[in-house]
Each structure stands twice: as C-alpha cells, then as structure tokens.
Amino acid sequence: MPLPDLSKMVPMPPARWRALGARLRTIGVTLARTQEVTQIGVFMLDAARAPIRKWHLRRMRDPAGYAMRMLMFDDAVSRAEAESALGDVPLDPFVEAGFISRLDDGNYVSPFNLNLVNDIFVICDHLSHGHDAVMGAGQTTTFMCDASRPSRRLARGLDVGCGAGTGALSLASQVDRVIGTDINGRAVALSRINAALNSIGNVEFREGDMFAPVAGETFDLIISQPPFVAAPPGLATAAFEFGGPRGDELPMRLLREIPAYLAKNGRAVILAEWPELAGETVEQHLRAALPSPDIKVLILQCPGSSLNDYCAIYAAADHPNLGAEFERDTILRREHL
C-alpha cells in the first residue's frame, strides 16, 4: 500500500495547522482522554484490540470523541461529526490537502495517525506501510523524552533521526533553539508540519544523514532513538526500523560521532536495543565505540528479551493483522539471528 501523499499538505499555511492544534486542545483531546481508549486491550494483539476500542470510541458522542476517531484511531465519522470535531476550523482544506480523506460512503478519516506525547500532537504514518514511513511516538519515545528533560534551561539541542519530530518538539519548551535531523525527507516535512500544529517556533528541521546537516556545530543536549532492529537479507527495508544486519550498526556509529558535536559539559541521551555478544558485556561493547576513554557513560539497562520473542514482536509490528507475511518474516528474522 503506498504512503499517503504529502505534496499538498506541505504548502498549507502554518496558520491552518496552528488553528487545528488549538481546536484539538480546546475540545479536550488530552493524554488523559486518549488513555481512556489506549488502556483498553493493552495486552491484546493489535488486530484483536481494534474492535473493542471502536465500541468504546463510538459512545464518545462529543467533538473530542469524533476527533479521536477520525485522526487517532482510524475510525471514519460522518461529515456532521467531522465538522463538530473541527468547529470553526474548515474541513474541506484538510480534505483537499490529503490530511483527511472522504471515503466512498461519504464518511471521513485521516490516512495518517495522530499521536499525543505528553502535550505534543504528532502527525505520523501508520508503520505497516514500511519503507519510508515516518515513525511517531511509541512508549519508548516517551521514555527518551522524559529521560532527556533538562534540569535547567539550555541554549542548543539536537534530535538526531528525529522522525516526526517528537523529541525535538518536546525539548523546545526548555531549550532556546532545537534542531532535528533525519535522512528521510518525508520525516523532515512531517516534523515541520508538527511544529506548526503545536505553535512551536524555536525548532528547525534539516534533511541529511545523522550529523551531516549540523557539521561544525555543537549542542548542550543531543538526543536520539536511532533505528536498532536487526535486518535479515531479503526483508523489505524500513528507514525507521533497521539499524543494520545485527541491528546496532547505526547506534554504534552514533556513539562514535556524538562527542564531536557536544559542547563543553554537554550531554547525550540515546535509547536503543543492543545485542548481547558472547564474551563481551554491553558496557564493554558500548565503551569500545566511543572515541575517548575520558567520556563519562551511564548505562540504564532493561532485562533482555529472548530471540524468539524479539523476532515475533517486530514481525507483528510490521504485520499487525498477522497472516502469511507475518509468519514468513518471523521465521526469516529468527533464522538470521
């Protein structure tokens, strides 16, 4: 399935996106409200939880409920419900731009996915598209944002591999100037839209490979959640997911390059998964990547997962409805590792 077209969303006036973000806040689309739905079926497979969530969503007969159905939970609403959600914000310009689709039955739903991270709205892709799909924010992204929150105001921050801009936008209230970089031009475009959606003006997004767009610059805080999943030969690549054949090639490169871009007393926060290697601890593995023994490192480690669980979980993320492709990818990943 092709990714939704961004070409008409990019030139939309920032004021329209700001108005949409303000409207969503006015009607009460908050983290607490969305959690009324996201906590339902939290331990179910994606394919199993969708129907029961929709049952509850369709009983939220107010503008916030209609907005959540249309923009966050892939559940189409009528035109009257869509207009109730948007209020004074006109519906048709967003339909013409492709952010909201009018279906053959006359109902409306977004082909994108709206995430809410703390109080930041993030438009992203459904990751089942693969390839150049742009990742929004999962639970681990929230962990990274919380862990990187500075205890004092900083001058300059950098989000490497920014995806839809979640990390950079989360830092913006505590850092004077934030830059986000991503090799995927689609990610940069969505990040700029998300900055407008949240009325955030002190963030800049640049396209390029890792640190290439900020060559010669230094930062008080650098954050990154790089792609870190192992990529077997023959599996379709996804920019947001795969970090190399073993999974840690991109994170290791990040560790090698980060020190050159840190200002004096600067700090970096990286969230990634690392392989457990025979005869070498994770600490030894990461320390070997750093260019100097003088760099201070704090490693916070979660318990590891089994290779069987690892392969099935990531294959299910790519194929939420399971089926033959899920089975093929799970076996391919396990054979590779």
Side-chain angles (χ1 to χ4, degrees):
M1 184 185 301
L3 284 163
D5 184 15
L6 277 180
S7 62
K8 294 181 180 178
M9 287 171 54
V10 171
M12 276 186 70
R16 285 204 188 278
W17 294 111
R18 288 195 294 269
L20 176 61
R23 172 62 180 175
L24 294 174
R25 289 187 169 84
T26 297
I27 62 177
V29 179
T30 62
L31 187 60
R33 187 70 190 276
T34 58
Q35 284 177 338
E36 293 177 23
V37 180
T38 58
Q39 295 305 308
I40 298 167
V42 68
F43 296 113
M44 296 180 184
L45 294 172
D46 288 353
R49 72 167 67 101
I52 196 65
R53 286 183 174 179
K54 288 180 180 179
W55 185 90
H56 287 274
L57 277 165
R58 291 170 185 177
R59 278 150 183 79
M60 297 180 179
R61 297 185 177 94
D62 66 313
Y66 300 144
M68 288 162 57
R69 285 176 57 190
M70 178 173 63
L71 303 178
M72 306 178 89
F73 291 98
D74 199 28
D75 190 29
V77 300
S78 69
R79 184 174 182 95
E81 291 167 338
E83 290 178 336
S84 172
L86 298 188
D88 293 336
V89 178
L91 171 64
D92 288 334
F94 288 98
V95 175
E96 292 163 8
F99 176 59
I100 297 172
S101 297
R102 183 183 185 277
L103 305 180
D104 292 340
D105 61 5
N107 289 331
Y108 293 80
V109 70
S110 178
F112 294 87
N113 187 31
L114 182 70
N115 291 171
L116 186 55
V117 182
N118 298 326
D119 60 347
I120 302 292
F121 291 115
V122 179
I123 298 169
C124 59
D125 288 315
H126 293 283
L127 297 185
S128 55
H129 287 297
H131 304 293
D132 287 333
V134 177
M135 186 175 181
Q139 188 179 42
T140 54
T141 309
T142 303
F143 294 160
M144 181 189 70
C145 293
D146 290 343
S148 60
R149 200 175 307 282
S151 58
R152 59 182 176 83
R153 189 157 191 88
L154 301 176
R156 288 173 58 80
L158 174 66
D159 181 4
V160 181
C162 63
T166 309
L169 296 172
S170 296
L171 289 180
S173 63
Q174 295 158 299
V175 180
D176 293 340
R177 189 69 183 166
V178 184
I179 296 173
T181 68
D182 204 290
I183 198 170
N184 184 354
R186 183 179 179 87
V188 172
L190 277 175
S191 293
R192 290 170 178 164
I193 289 170
N194 287 328
L197 183 67
N198 291 281
S199 299
I200 295 175
N202 61 328
V203 177
E204 177 188 354
F205 295 99
R206 303 177 186 174
E207 183 178 350
D209 184 24
M210 282 201 180
F211 295 99
V214 294
E217 301 179 55
T218 58
F219 301 87
D220 303 299
L221 176 61
I222 298 175
I223 64 173
S224 184
Q225 185 179 359
F228 50 63
V229 179
L235 200 65
T237 58
F240 64 86
E241 182 177 6
F242 296 118
R246 197 169 64 185
D248 67 337
E249 286 85 351
L250 271 176
M252 292 291 277
R253 178 185 160 199
L254 186 71
L255 278 177
R256 286 193 297 271
E257 296 182 11
I258 269 184
Y261 296 89
L262 283 174
K264 184 178 180 181
N265 298 320
R267 179 170 67 104
V269 178
I270 302 169
L271 192 149
E273 289 184 351
W274 307 91
E276 295 181 353
L277 305 175
E280 185 177 52
T281 66
V282 172
E283 290 85 352
Q284 291 169 330
H285 184 53
L286 302 190
R287 174 58 75 180
L290 294 168
S292 167
D294 298 328
I295 298 167
K296 296 178 181 178
V297 181
L298 172 65
I299 300 172
L300 303 179
Q301 231 176 313
C302 294
S305 57
S306 76
L307 289 182
N308 298 324
D309 292 350
Y310 175 93
C311 295
I313 287 168
Y314 280 114
D318 290 344
H319 306 287
N321 294 318
L322 307 184
E325 289 187 348
F326 161 73
E327 179 178 334
R328 171 189 170 273
D329 281 11
T330 301
I331 292 171
L332 193 62
R333 291 170 189 263
R334 188 63 186 89
E335 185 66 26
H336 172 65
L337 292 173

